[in-house]
């Protein structure tokens, strides 16, 4: 049973014991009810303490049970909370650490609550696309007031227990031994005659509840576009304010059942688990010993190198920053300082913290200063010859066991590893620009990369707050290999009848942060041009529209040259459709003999997204990525794929692989159809009625 029951001089202690976070799964729920009954029937017991073992009081409902029969099997969380509230003997919830979601709702059913300092308190359900579904929308406003409760529910953000001391949620917040304080408190209230206080009996006091609720609805409505849950929280609270606790509870239930089935909630739960699953590498045991990383070195103080260095100093790790010329080093340091000054200006960093971070950087022009580094990340020019010089030099100076990482985004990590006598210590760490901002980190595993190197980098990624996804070695790894097919389709559609603004608008309406042409103008059209030139040499058979090359030949590299697919005005990043480019596109179609036609937004979205899905399926087939959710995490954290759609692989599951296959076969039979080679796994899964994610 995932619950322990002990007695201590007249006090029964029910301890949730369902690692890792005391998720309120069926066995835990049943254990609590049994413990309560046992305590009711034992005349020696005067009071009950409800607490959690391990790292949490409770992280809430067991989300692994969602959409399974166990989730609604009795005793449901509602039944458990009713049993707690209905206990004739006082129940004291002793919260030593995380009390979230259903965990906090359970505590709100108790007659008293005592918390330790530093416990994270939250109703984070909206982050999973749902709302508190076990009375939280009714209990919390009665415990801490309407405004604070709405704030917590709509944001889903955790509040530290000491911030809630005196809020009406806790009867005490202790710094000392919580267990002793809880037992003493239980003995005290156990000696008192009932009835003991119930949160549900409190009134929601607010001078203008209706007005505040409407104000919250208006504010949230604007922010929560595409996410229905926050507004539902407000509706449920309003129902309780207007019609009382029980009617509010019933309405909350209706909202919960509706939200848990939505594609948005499915996507958010997928991302929640996908983020955690990404750090698990199938053939690297979770207890693989890691190498200690105390001193980092970064080679290259350019845009990437500077951003990479910031990640480590933000985590308190000292960084030796190497450049070849003093002015490059000075420029790099100045850029890092400027970035931090901007953060200080926003009030997100204290000035003294800025200096502390800058002090963690040791600038140098000498490789010899890298000899103590435990991890060395190179971010030098993207050319194999340059990488060769760097890694041969590193092989000479780096200490044994130092991890040698390349930030390459397109080169073969196995070739780079072969420049050293220690290929087992070489790994790819592909950061995304701006490296100190983007969450995604592709960890590229070479043939020889040691398992403890991978385990070390994955753990370090958590420390520097990155979502790390392991990729095998192939051209473009996961993200860029897929985006290449996406861009191919975008270019073909220009040739066939669309224009840049239409393509961008259609995919941005689908939810992408930025369409392919605005994105290319931002990143620089010359970057794609260089890759295509290499591609034409390596794969002369690969059919590409040359329309983007035409654009680049006119020097329209994007924002950096003042014009690209769009026109730009000085000091204004707004993308203005360009008549000249539109005419060039139409002219190009005539040149190739393409019959321009009206292309619907639906076709634009299908061809762009399914191009990602199809390439992602091949990446899975080749073992470059180990799970579909890894591919989704790459796109959710590195390429602006809309979170509420869950990523290209989950979205395809939502559409149904049968329909994805039909669409791809349809495009393969039309103009530029040779670009569509259907991934065999899509057909195979479709035939079984299955998806990528099960
Ligand atoms: N259910 C099941 N497993 C969970 C879980 C949960 N609620 N929360 C975390 N885990 C797993 C997680 O997948 C990972 O597994 C391990 O625990 C450690 O997690 C009715 C319906 C609690 C702050 O949204 O925010 O209650 O990878 O790496 O950094 O109204 O987990 O080790 O196999 O994140 O120390 C609402 C979600 C649920 C809280 C701990 N609760 N969890 O952070 O560890 S819905 C939440 C978190 C609900 C009620 C509704 C964090 C944490 P594995 P971790 P951590």
């Amino acid at each position: 049973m995932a619950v322990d029951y002990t007695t201590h001089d007249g006090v029964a202690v029910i301890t949730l014991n369902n690692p890792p976070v005391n998720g309120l799964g069926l066995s835990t729920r049943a254990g609590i009810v049994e413990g309560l009954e046992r305590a009711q029937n034992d005349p020696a017991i005067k009071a009950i303490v409800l607490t959690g073992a391990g790292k949490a009081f409770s992280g809430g409902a067991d989300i692994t049970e969602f959409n399974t029969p166990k989730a609604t099997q009795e005793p449901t969380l509602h039944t458990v909370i009713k049993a707690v509230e209905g206990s004739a003997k006082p129940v004291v919830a002793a919260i030593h650490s995380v009390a979230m979601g259903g965990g906090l709702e359970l505590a709100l059913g108790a007659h008293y609550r005592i918390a330790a300092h530093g416990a994270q308190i939250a109703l984070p359900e909206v982050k999973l696309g749902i709302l508190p579904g076990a009375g939280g929308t009714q209990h919390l406003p009665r415990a801490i007031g309407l405004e604070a409760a709405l704030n917590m529910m709509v944001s889903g953000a955790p509040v530290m227990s000491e911030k809630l001391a005196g809020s009406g949620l806790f009867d005490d917040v202790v710094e000392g031994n919580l267990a002793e304080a809880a037992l003493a408190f239980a003995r005290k209230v156990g000696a008192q005659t009932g009835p003991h206080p119930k949160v549900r009996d409190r009134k929601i006091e607010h001078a203008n509840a209706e007005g505040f609720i409407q104000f919250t609805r208006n504010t949230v409505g604007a922010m929560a576009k595409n996410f229905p849950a926050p507004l539902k929280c407000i509706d449920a609270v309003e129902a309780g304010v207007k019609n009382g606790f029980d009617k509010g509870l019933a309405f909350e239930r209706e909202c919960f059942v509706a939200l848990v089935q939505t594609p948005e909630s499915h996507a958010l739960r997928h991302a929640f688990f996908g983020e955690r699953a990404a750090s698990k590498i199938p053939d690297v045991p979770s207890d693989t010993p890691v190498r200690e990383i105390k001193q980092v070195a970064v080679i290259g103080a350019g845009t990437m190198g500077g951003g990479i260095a910031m990640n480590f100093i933000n985590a308190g790790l000292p960084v030796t920053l190497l450049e070849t010329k003093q002015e490059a080093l000075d420029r790099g340091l100045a850029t890092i300082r400027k970035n931090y000054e901007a953060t200080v200006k926003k009030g997100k960093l204290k000035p003294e913290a800025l200096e502390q971070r800058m002090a963690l950087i040791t600038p140098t022009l000498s490789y010899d200063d890298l000899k103590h580094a435990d991890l060395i990340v190179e971010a030098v020019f993207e050319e194999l010859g340059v990488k060769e010089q760097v890694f041969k030099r590193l092989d000479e100076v780096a200490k044994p066991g130092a991890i040698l990482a390349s930030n390459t985004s397109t080169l073969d990590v196995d070739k780079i590893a072969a420049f050293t006598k220690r290929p087992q210590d070489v790994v790819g760490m592909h950061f995304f620009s701006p490296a100190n901002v983007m969450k995604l980190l592709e960890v590229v595993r070479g043939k020889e990369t040691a398992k403890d190197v991978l385990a070390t980098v994955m753990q370090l990624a958590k420390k520097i707050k990155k979502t790390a996804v392991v990729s095998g070695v192939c051209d473009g790894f996961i993200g860029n290999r897929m985006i290449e097919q996406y861009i191919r389709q975008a270019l073909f559609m220009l040739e066939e009848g669309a224009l840049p603004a239409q393509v961008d608008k259609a995919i941005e309406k689908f939810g992408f942060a930025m369409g392919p042409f605005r994105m290319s103008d931002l990143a620089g059209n010359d970057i794609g041009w260089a890759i295509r030139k290499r591609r034409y040499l390596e794969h002369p058979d690969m059919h590409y529209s040359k329309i983007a090359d035409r654009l680049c030949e006119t020097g329209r590299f994007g924002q950096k040259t003042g014009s690209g697919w769009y026109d730009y005005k000085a000091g204004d990043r707004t993308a203005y459709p360009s008549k000249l480019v539109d005419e060039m596109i139409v002219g190009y179609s005539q040149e190739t003999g393409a019959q321009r036609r009206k292309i619907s937004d639906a076709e634009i979205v299908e061809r762009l997204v399914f191009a990602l899905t199809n390439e992602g399926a091949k990446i899975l087939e080749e073992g470059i990525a180990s799970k579909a959710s890894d591919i989704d995490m790459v796109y959710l954290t590195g390429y602006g794929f809309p979170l509420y759609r869950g990523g290209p692989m989950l979205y395809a599951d939502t559409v149904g692989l049968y329909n994805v296959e039909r669409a791809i076969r349809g495009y393969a039979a039309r103009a530029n159809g040779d670009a569509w080679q259907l991934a065999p796994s899509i057909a195979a899964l479709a035939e079984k009625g299955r998806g990528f994610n099960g």
Side-chain angles (χ1 to χ4, degrees):
M1 194 65 80
V3 164
D4 300 327
Y5 181 94
T6 52
T7 58
H8 307 258
D9 302 338
V11 177
V13 178
I14 298 173
T15 306
L16 308 187
N17 193 3
N18 177 23
V21 296
N22 294 328
L24 294 166
L26 180 59
S27 61
T28 312
R29 302 194 303 264
I32 297 169
V33 172
E34 277 182 35
L36 287 168
E37 278 160 9
R38 207 167 143 187
Q40 306 306 316
N41 301 332
D42 179 346
I45 297 298
K46 304 297 177 217
I48 298 152
V49 168
L50 185 58
T51 190
K55 70 189 225 179
F57 169 78
S58 169
D62 187 334
I63 36 190
T64 59
E65 283 186 0
F66 274 18
N67 293 337
T68 72
K70 278 188 175 177
T72 51
Q73 198 173 322
E74 288 292 357
T76 62
L77 193 47
H78 277 274
T79 301
V80 174
I81 293 169
K82 250 207 196 106
V84 171
E85 257 179 352
S87 165
K89 300 175 182 177
V91 180
V92 181
I95 299 167
H96 71 295
S97 177
V98 168
M100 285 194 174
L104 177 57
E105 291 172 301
L106 174 64
L108 282 162
H111 304 100
Y112 306 95
R113 281 153 298 282
I114 296 196
H117 259 242
Q120 281 188 70
I121 309 298
L123 286 180
E125 286 84 346
V126 290
K127 293 182 181 173
L128 299 172
I130 49 180
L131 88 171
T137 63
Q138 308 305 311
H139 273 124
L140 196 63
R142 285 169 175 77
I144 63 173
L146 181 66
E147 298 194 13
L150 272 172
N151 244 325
M152 279 183 75
M153 277 182 254
V154 162
S155 67
V159 179
M160 299 316 278
S161 49
E162 56 274 19
K163 288 255 186 322
L164 291 162
S167 70
L169 177 61
F170 297 122
D171 298 276
D172 199 1
V173 177
V174 298
E175 291 200 71
N177 184 314
L178 176 74
E180 278 168 18
L183 284 172
F185 190 92
R187 282 195 193 95
K188 186 182 75 166
V189 294
Q192 291 161 3
T193 49
H196 294 278
K198 292 179 185 174
V199 172
R200 61 169 293 143
D201 296 336
R202 295 188 204 174
K203 291 271 162 287
I204 298 179
E205 311 293 345
H206 194 280
N208 176 8
E210 205 168 324
F212 183 76
I213 287 171
Q214 196 44 47
F215 160 74
T216 310
R217 190 170 275 128
N218 298 341
T219 320
V220 167
M223 286 186 307
K225 220 163 63 70
N226 303 308
F227 293 96
L231 286 171
K232 284 285 179 199
C233 285
I234 301 168
D235 295 349
V237 168
E238 183 178 52
V241 167
K242 282 187 173 158
N243 313 319
F245 188 95
D246 289 325
K247 287 207 169 75
L249 194 63
F251 184 70
E252 173 197 274
R253 189 88 208 119
E254 283 170 37
C255 296
F256 182 84
V257 170
L259 284 171
V260 80
Q261 334 256 347
T262 58
E264 291 84 356
S265 179
H266 187 189
L268 286 166
R269 297 198 310 268
H270 173 70
F272 175 85
F273 282 113
E275 168 103 30
R276 287 156 181 78
S279 57
K280 294 183 183 61
I281 306 166
D283 66 331
V284 177
S286 54
D287 59 358
T288 302
V290 296
R291 299 184 190 181
E292 199 176 12
I293 304 292
K294 286 189 302 195
Q295 171 72 41
V296 177
V298 174
I299 305 177
T303 315
M304 286 309 285
I308 290 168
M310 287 176 72
N311 288 311
F312 295 111
I313 52 182
N314 292 345
L317 286 166
V319 173
T320 302
L321 186 59
L322 171 71
E323 253 296 352
T324 48
K325 292 194 186 64
Q326 191 59 47
E327 59 271 27
L329 199 51
D330 296 344
R331 206 171 36 249
L333 286 169
T335 305
I336 292 171
R337 176 174 288 278
K338 198 159 62 56
N339 288 341
Y340 281 133
E341 280 164 355
T343 312
V344 168
K345 219 178 270 162
K346 285 185 213 145
K348 292 192 177 151
L349 186 70
K350 291 196 173 59
E352 55 274 22
L354 184 159
E355 294 311 331
Q356 283 159 4
R357 291 191 188 181
M358 293 308 292
L360 282 171
I361 304 176
T362 306
T364 180
L365 299 173
S366 159
Y367 267 87
D368 290 342
D369 290 339
L370 307 188
K371 58 179 180 284
H372 300 300
D374 306 302
L375 164 71
I376 302 169
V377 187
E378 63 80 14
V380 299
F381 189 65
E382 187 73 350
E383 202 281 310
L384 205 53
V386 177
K387 305 290 188 190
E388 180 173 6
Q389 286 167 15
V390 168
F391 276 83
K392 281 189 168 152
R393 194 82 179 79
L394 286 181
D395 213 12
E396 292 159 8
V397 301
K399 70 181 184 184
I403 295 176
L404 311 180
S406 168
N407 173 55
T408 182
S409 55
T410 58
L411 301 174
D412 184 330
V413 169
D414 290 328
K415 286 197 182 123
I416 292 172
F419 296 140
T420 73
K421 292 188 280 305
R422 47 176 123 179
Q424 73 283 358
D425 296 337
V426 177
V427 67
M429 288 181 77
H430 176 213
F431 290 86
F432 284 72
S433 181
N436 55 306
V437 173
M438 294 300 281
K439 262 180 79 74
L440 177 60
L441 173 64
E442 279 183 327
V443 176
V444 186
R445 175 180 193 170
K447 270 198 301 292
E448 320 248 342
T449 303
K451 291 188 177 183
D452 69 324
V453 166
L454 287 169
T456 305
V457 172
M458 297 310 274
Q459 186 188 71
L460 182 64
K462 266 195 182 149
K463 189 176 163 88
I464 62 173
K465 297 193 174 41
K466 295 295 179 188
T467 297
V469 176
V470 173
S471 170
V473 174
C474 73
D475 197 330
F477 312 136
I478 299 172
N480 285 342
R481 171 169 161 182
M482 289 166 63
I483 206 75
E484 181 167 355
Q485 299 309 320
Y486 170 93
I487 291 168
R488 265 181 100 192
Q489 288 304 316
L491 296 175
F492 283 139
M493 285 191 276
L494 293 188
E495 209 177 296
E496 295 169 30
L499 292 172
Q502 182 203 358
V503 173
D504 282 351
K505 279 203 187 72
I507 200 68
E508 286 163 15
K509 191 156 157 269
F510 173 80
F512 267 75
M514 201 177 261
F517 298 107
R518 284 204 314 137
M519 183 175 77
S520 187
D521 271 359
L522 180 68
N525 298 321
D526 48 330
I527 293 174
W529 195 20
I531 292 175
R532 285 195 304 278
K533 284 179 192 167
R534 185 162 61 81
R535 187 74 70 242
Y536 299 156
L537 294 174
E538 288 162 355
H539 303 284
D541 56 319
M542 183 100 104
H543 167 205
Y544 258 94
S545 167
K546 298 291 191 300
I547 187 80
D549 303 343
R550 290 293 170 83
L551 183 88
C552 291
E553 282 152 17
T554 64
R556 294 176 70 103
F557 293 162
Q559 291 192 23
K560 61 181 164 187
T561 56
S563 68
W565 292 105
Y566 295 92
D567 291 334
Y568 297 90
K569 292 183 184 130
D572 175 0
R573 299 169 77 91
T574 313
Y576 297 96
S578 159
K579 203 164 165 314
L580 183 136
V581 168
D582 291 355
E583 282 162 4
M584 183 196 80
I585 291 167
V586 173
Y588 183 79
S589 299
Q590 281 154 2
E591 201 184 302
T592 59
Q595 290 306 313
R596 289 184 72 79
R597 63 183 171 86
K598 171 129 183 54
I599 296 180
S600 69
D601 286 2
E603 178 177 340
I604 290 171
V605 169
E606 273 200 344
R607 286 174 67 172
L608 292 181
V609 177
F610 293 169
L612 297 175
T613 305
N614 195 45
E615 198 60 27
K618 292 175 185 170
I619 284 169
L620 277 174
E621 288 161 12
E622 296 165 25
I624 295 292
S626 62
K627 40 191 167 320
S629 59
D630 279 359
I631 295 174
D632 286 333
M633 291 321 295
V634 165
Y635 266 75
L636 292 173
T637 59
Y639 288 80
F641 197 97
L643 175 60
Y644 60 91
R645 302 216 191 250
M649 311 313 273
L650 186 84
Y651 178 70
D653 286 352
T654 314
V655 168
L657 293 188
Y658 171 83
N659 297 312
V660 173
E661 178 186 358
R662 278 183 61 241
I664 291 176
R665 289 189 188 285
Y667 295 123
R670 292 163 54 181
N672 302 308
D674 56 302
W676 290 102
Q677 308 295 324
L678 178 70
S681 55
I682 291 181
L685 287 167
E687 199 188 348
K688 292 184 215 133
R690 286 187 39 221
F692 291 110
N693 294 283

